[in-house]
C-alpha cells in the first residue's frame, strides 16, 4: 500500500506571527500547499502547548488563538486545501500524549537542546512545570496522532521531531513489527536558505521576540513597517555613506537575503542586478543606509501588503473564521480518532471493543463444575 503523504505543523498562540515566522516556516507552508504534493495537510494552533508556560495568562492565549488563525488565513492558507484546527479541541492528542509518555525517559527529555534553551531563557529552575518539561512528548503525540510524514518547521523544532521519531520507533519495536508498524515516523522539512532559519530582531539581537519589541508583525500597518524599518539597527561602524560597511550581522542585509528577489532589484533598485552587487557596494563604501532601508521597506511591503489585505477581509468576517476552525477541528478529530484506536488496540487497551479479549476473559471465568 502506498503510504499517504501527511503534512502537519503548528504554532503556539502566544502573540501575533511576525516576519521571522514567515521566513522560517509560514512561507514554506504556502509553497507546499500550492505544490499540492500531499494527501492531507494540517496546520494547528498549539494552545495546549502554549499553556505549559502560561498558566494564569489565559487572556493572552485566548486572544492569540484568533490572532494566529487570522495570520494563517492572511498568508493565504486555504481552508479547502489545509485543515486548520485548535489543539485543545482534539482530545485524542492529549490522550495519545499520556500513552507516549511511557516510552520516554526523563534523562532523554533533559538532553533535548530546544527544551534546555527554553528552560534557561525563562529562568525556570524549581518553577519548571511538569507540563512544560514534558511538552516534547505531547508534541510527539501532536505529530503521531495524524500519521504525519512531513513536519515543515523552523530548525529549532528538529529536536522535537527527532524525539517523536524515537518514540514512534520504540512503540513500533515493542508493539508492532516491521510489516505492521503502529505509528508513522515523520521527517522534518526546514527552509533551505541558511539565513531563513532564524531572523534577528530589528535591533540586531539574535531573535525576534515580542518582549524585546523588535518584531515586524504580519499584521503591522504600512506605517508601522516603515517606522520599524527606518529605525533598524545596521552597521555601527558605517557612520558616513562613504565609509566601508559590514553586511554580515547587519539585520537590514539579513532581511534582504531572506526576502528580496532579483525582480525586486529590477523594479525598485535597478542600479544593481542582485543582492551580491548591492552588498559589494555597501562593503566598498558609497551606499547609504537610507537607500538600503528604503529598498527593504519596498521589498517587505511587496510581501506584506497582500497579507494585510486578506487579513482585513477575515477580521471583518470573524464568524466565518470560527466556522472554518470548527470544521477543521471536527475533521482533525476524525483522523486522530482512527490513529488513536489503532494505538489503543496495539497497547491492548481496547477491552470493550475487542471480542477476542472478551472471549478470553470469559474463558478464564468459565465455571469448571
Ligand atoms: N513547538 C511549536 C512552536 O513552538 C508548536 C508545535 C506544537 C508544533 N506541536 C507541533 C510544530 C507539532 C510542529 C509540529 O511553535
Amino acid at each position: 500500500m502506498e503510504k499517504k503523504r501527511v503534512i502537519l505543523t503548528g504554532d503556539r498562540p502566544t502573540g501575533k506571527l511576525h516576519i521571522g515566522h514567515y521566513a522560517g516556516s509560514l512561507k514554506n507552508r504556502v509553497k507546499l500547499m500550492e505544490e499540492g504534493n500531499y494527501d492531507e495537510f494540517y496546520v494547528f494552533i498549539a494552545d495546549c502547548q502554549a499553556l505549559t508556560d502560561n498558566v494564569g495568562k489565559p487572556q493572552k492565549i485566548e486572544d492569540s488563538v484568533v490572532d494566529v488563525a487570522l495570520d494563517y488565513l492572511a498568508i493565504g492558507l486555504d481552508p479547502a486545501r489545509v485543515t486548520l484546527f485548535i489543539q485543545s479541541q482534539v482530545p485524542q492528542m492529549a490522550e495519545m500524549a499520556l500513552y507516549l509518555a511511557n516510552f520516554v525517559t526523563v534523562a532523554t527529555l533533559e538532553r533535548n537542546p530546544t527544551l534546555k534553551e527554553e528552560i534557561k531563557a525563562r529562568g525556570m529552575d524549581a518553577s519548571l512545570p511538569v507540563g512544560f518539561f514534558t511538552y516534547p512528548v505531547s508534541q510527539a503525540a501532536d505529530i503521531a496522532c495524524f500519521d504525519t510524514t512531513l513536519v515543515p518547521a523552523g530548525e529549532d523544532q528538529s529536536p522535537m521531531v527527532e524525539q517523536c521519531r524515537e518514540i514512534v520507533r520504540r512503540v513500533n519495536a515493542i508493539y508492532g513489527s516491521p510489516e505492521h508498524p503502529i505509528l508513522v515516523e515523520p521527517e522534518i522539512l526546514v527552509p533551505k536558505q541558511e539565513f531563513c532559519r532564524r531572523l534577528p530582531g530589528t535591533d540586531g539581537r539574535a531573535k525576534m521576540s515580542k518582549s524585546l519589541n523588535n518584531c515586524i508583525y504580519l499584521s503591522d500597518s504600512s506605517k508601522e513597517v516603515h517606522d520599524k524599518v527606518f529605525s533598524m539597527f545596521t552597521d555601527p561602524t558605517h557612520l558616513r555613506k562613504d565609509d566601508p560597511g559590514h553586511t554580515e550581522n547587519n539585520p537590514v542585509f539579513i532581511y534582504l537575503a531572506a526576502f528580496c528577489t532579483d525582480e525586486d532589484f529590477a523594479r525598485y533598485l535597478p542600479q544593481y542586478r542582485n543582492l551580491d552587487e548591492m552588498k559589494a557596494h555597501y562593503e566598498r563604501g558609497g551606499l547609504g543606509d537610507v537607500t538600503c532601508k528604503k529598498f527593504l521597506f519596498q521589498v517587505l511591503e511587496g510581501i506584506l501588503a497582500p497579507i494585510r489585505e486578506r487579513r482585513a477581509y477575515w477580521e471583518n468576517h470573524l464568524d466565518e473564521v470560527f466556522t472554518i476552525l470548527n470544521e477543521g477541528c471536527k475533521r482533525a478529530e476524525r483522523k486522530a480518532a482512527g490513529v488513536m484506536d489503532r494505538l489503543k488496540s496495539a497497547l491492548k487497551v481496547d477491552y470493550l471493543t475487542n471480542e477476542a479479549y472478551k472471549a478470553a476473559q470469559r474463558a478464564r471465568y468459565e465455571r469448571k463444575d
Side-chain angles (χ1 to χ4, degrees):
M1 194 182 78
E2 191 58 35
K3 203 165 77 173
K4 269 196 178 174
R5 285 181 52 103
V6 179
I7 306 178
L8 173 133
T9 189
D11 304 274
R12 290 181 199 171
T14 54
K16 295 177 172 179
L17 300 179
H18 53 62
I19 61 169
H21 296 116
Y22 189 76
S25 171
L26 302 174
K27 187 172 156 188
N28 219 10
R29 293 180 201 175
V30 177
K31 186 165 159 263
L32 286 168
M33 180 186 84
E34 268 154 13
E35 288 166 357
N37 187 14
Y38 58 83
D39 300 294
E40 295 165 23
F41 197 158
Y42 299 93
V43 176
F44 76 102
I45 302 174
D47 62 332
C48 297
Q49 188 173 111
L51 285 167
T52 61
D53 68 332
N54 281 290
V55 183
K57 290 178 236 161
Q59 181 86 53
K60 172 171 141 190
I61 310 297
E62 201 184 312
D63 289 344
S64 301
V65 165
V66 171
D67 295 340
V68 171
L70 288 169
D71 286 331
Y72 285 166
L73 293 163
I75 60 166
L77 291 179
D78 169 6
R81 289 185 276 172
V82 176
T83 301
L84 302 175
F85 71 95
I86 307 169
Q87 182 180 13
S88 57
Q89 308 307 299
V90 180
Q92 290 80 3
M93 297 166 87
E95 188 182 3
M96 187 176 284
L98 183 72
Y99 292 105
L100 296 192
N102 301 332
F103 295 83
V104 198
T105 63
V106 169
T108 305
L109 288 177
E110 281 172 344
R111 280 195 301 270
N112 185 305
T114 298
L115 186 65
K116 272 210 282 207
E117 209 179 287
E118 289 174 319
I119 291 171
K120 206 170 126 208
R122 287 164 175 72
M124 293 167 166
D125 247 330
S127 65
L128 173 63
V130 172
F132 190 78
F133 179 64
T134 58
Y135 95 71
V137 178
S138 135
Q139 183 157 344
D142 300 342
I143 299 169
C145 232
F146 294 87
D147 287 341
T148 304
T149 51
L150 196 69
V151 180
E155 195 174 44
D156 60 328
Q157 296 301 302
S158 89
M160 300 300 160
V161 178
E162 196 41 55
Q163 177 66 84
C164 178
R165 291 164 61 86
E166 264 179 47
I167 293 175
V168 167
R169 282 199 292 266
R170 287 206 70 202
V171 170
N172 290 344
I174 300 170
Y175 289 94
S177 65
E179 304 79 55
H180 295 285
I182 313 299
L183 297 174
V184 174
E185 245 187 86
E187 315 244 355
I188 188 165
L189 180 71
V190 291
K192 276 196 202 68
Q193 296 157 298
E194 187 64 41
F195 37 76
C196 281
R197 292 190 179 170
R198 190 181 266 187
L199 228 49
T202 51
D203 56 358
R205 294 208 218 197
K207 211 180 151 182
M208 281 202 187
S209 125
K210 188 160 80 173
S211 52
L212 293 174
N213 197 18
N214 62 359
C215 313
I216 296 177
Y217 293 101
L218 299 178
S219 47
D220 278 346
S221 68
S222 184
K223 180 174 184 314
E224 282 168 318
V225 176
H226 181 273
D227 293 351
K228 287 179 186 182
V229 168
F230 278 84
S231 58
M232 268 176 83
F233 175 87
T234 60
D235 170 13
T237 68
H238 185 246
L239 294 174
R240 278 169 300 264
K241 182 176 161 188
D242 291 327
D243 291 338
H246 296 87
T247 56
E248 79 275 16
N249 299 326
N250 182 333
V252 170
F253 281 92
I254 297 172
Y255 288 12
L256 282 174
F259 297 112
C260 80
T261 62
D262 294 353
E263 290 78 65
D264 288 322
F265 280 101
R267 189 146 171 219
Y268 305 118
L269 207 58
Q271 59 266 48
Y272 311 109
R273 267 175 308 175
N274 53 44
L275 188 59
D276 287 338
E277 289 186 9
M278 180 183 179
K279 274 167 118 171
H281 192 187
Y282 191 84
E283 283 164 8
R284 231 174 22 246
L287 173 56
D289 280 344
V290 170
T291 307
C292 301
K293 288 179 169 178
K294 187 165 166 238
F295 178 54
L296 175 61
F297 173 66
Q298 287 167 316
V299 168
L300 288 179
E301 276 298 282
I303 296 165
L304 295 175
I307 293 179
R308 200 177 290 133
E309 210 170 292
R310 273 192 299 264
R311 203 177 200 283
Y313 170 85
W314 292 109
E315 285 175 2
N316 287 320
H317 295 79
L318 267 192
D319 282 329
E320 271 182 61
V321 178
F322 293 131
T323 303
I324 289 166
L325 290 172
N326 196 33
E327 283 169 4
C329 290
K330 283 199 213 135
R331 212 177 315 149
E333 181 165 3
R334 271 199 299 279
K335 170 71 187 245
V339 180
M340 199 56 227
D341 280 348
R342 193 194 319 131
L343 178 64
K344 279 174 111 170
S345 70
L347 298 179
K348 309 278 185 229
V349 291
D350 58 348
Y351 318 104
L352 307 181
T353 50
N354 184 337
E355 293 311 320
Y357 166 81
K358 285 193 266 184
Q361 296 303 320
R362 265 183 234 116
R364 284 181 66 221
Y365 279 94
E366 224 166 80
R367 280 176 183 272
K368 310 252 172 5
D369 51 30

